[in-house]
Amino acid sequence: MKNVSNCIVAFKGLSDDKHSFRFEIGDSFFKLFEGSEIEHGSLSAEVLLDKQSACMQITVTINGTVDIACDRCLDNLILTVSTNGELAVRFGKSDNSNPDDDLIVLDPSEGEIDLSQYIYDSINVALPLQRIHTEGQCNPEMTEKLQHFMVN
């Protein structure tokens, strides 16, 4: 994955307090992830960073829409995404002995954190397992072909 500069939170030099950031997530964001099922989307990620001397608490709220293929007819399907999550960040040396998806250990010399992978993963996890149009909205040609195969 390439560096996604618009999803980087630079925290070095910020006071120990709460800080807000907003990232716009669009088509170019999804192109950076090889093999992504999502090619088009329009979302915003609201990030609240609670910085303290030895740690940070990051709350991410994502809202918007993505355009993905319907599992039934393969036509485009626009789905609404609304999700939030929290990350804990502590400063120190990582020993990787207890991997935790909700805890990030950063070297004290670090001055920024790239949230692009976390945002991408959060969007994908928020999608329903079955991605299909509501009844009667699938491509009628494809529906007819499927009906033909199911009968035979």
Side-chain angles (χ1 to χ4, degrees):
M1 186 195 80
K2 301 173 189 169
N3 189 18
V4 184
S5 62
N6 69 335
C7 292
I8 293 177
V9 173
F11 56 83
K12 193 168 197 149
L14 292 177
S15 62
D16 287 356
D17 201 358
K18 293 183 179 182
H19 304 274
S20 295
F21 302 88
R22 180 184 174 104
F23 302 115
E24 297 302 321
I25 309 297
D27 297 353
S28 59
F29 176 82
F30 295 108
K31 286 183 173 101
L32 296 170
F33 295 88
E34 190 174 317
S36 176
E37 288 184 80
I38 304 169
E39 293 182 9
H40 306 288
S42 178
L43 304 109
S44 65
E46 303 284 338
V47 176
L48 179 62
L49 171 77
D50 186 0
K51 184 176 183 235
Q52 299 163 14
S53 59
C55 63
M56 296 185 295
Q57 186 70 30
I58 299 174
T59 304
V60 180
T61 303
I62 303 167
N63 290 297
T65 59
V66 295
D67 190 346
I68 195 163
C70 172
D71 290 339
R72 183 180 295 145
C73 72
L74 302 178
D75 276 3
N76 289 350
L77 171 65
I78 296 175
L79 293 174
T80 300
V81 174
S82 182
T83 186
N84 57 32
E86 292 189 2
L87 284 171
V89 180
R90 72 173 170 86
F91 299 103
K93 297 290 181 190
S94 175
D95 60 4
N96 293 325
S97 64
N98 188 15
D100 186 349
D101 290 341
D102 297 330
L103 174 66
I104 297 172
V105 180
L106 290 179
D107 189 277
S109 64
E110 292 288 328
E112 60 187 28
I113 185 168
D114 186 351
L115 297 175
S116 57
Q117 186 68 52
Y118 180 78
I119 290 171
Y120 176 78
D121 292 344
S122 295
I123 292 168
N124 278 281
V125 169
L127 295 175
L129 291 177
Q130 191 174 37
R131 302 162 193 161
I132 58 173
H133 288 102
T134 55
E135 191 66 37
Q137 292 186 341
C138 274
N139 178 323
E141 255 181 62
M142 184 62 82
T143 303
E144 186 178 313
K145 288 180 183 181
L146 288 171
Q147 289 296 329
H148 174 73
F149 285 112
M150 292 178 79
V151 172
N152 293 332

